[in-house]
Amino acid sequence: MAHTAQCSNNGGLWRLYVVLFGETEWPAFSWSSGQVPTVAQRREALGALGYEPLPHTEWHWIEDSAVPGDDSTAVLLIASTEVRELPAGGAA
């Protein structure tokens, strides 16, 4: 089953999470640096959460406003890609 993983920053640290509809808590990972995580760092974080990017997928970036509908507010960057759970006993 495919899920969406997103990586975002609200002006502080970068956070990666896997969207699981119907769940109250989503697997998440935060970095201790404010620098944009590399693709390799995002892949490693997904592996630590038990997921991997689907083959041949790329990260897609969008921007949003800190206040929805108000483009004069700070820009929020959000990256997303499709992921799947790692096989039981599999390695990232």
Side-chain angles (χ1 to χ4, degrees):
M1 172 184 252
H3 301 283
T4 299
Q6 294 184 328
C7 187
S8 63
N9 181 315
N10 64 358
L13 300 178
W14 284 91
R15 183 171 180 257
L16 180 139
Y17 48 92
V18 178
V19 179
L20 300 176
F21 292 108
E23 298 294 327
T24 58
E25 291 190 32
W26 295 345
F29 182 93
S30 295
W31 283 271
S32 59
S33 165
Q35 295 181 344
V36 179
T38 66
V39 172
Q41 289 171 318
R42 286 178 254 154
R43 186 176 52 249
E44 290 171 10
L46 283 168
L49 296 174
Y51 293 85
E52 65 182 355
L54 290 177
H56 311 293
T57 58
E58 296 180 355
W59 287 87
H60 299 278
W61 289 87
I62 61 169
E63 62 180 61
D64 198 0
S65 298
V67 177
D70 185 352
D71 64 1
S72 67
T73 61
V75 172
L76 302 177
L77 294 175
I78 304 168
S80 65
T81 195
E82 295 299 306
V83 300
R84 64 183 175 199
E85 286 187 68
L86 286 169

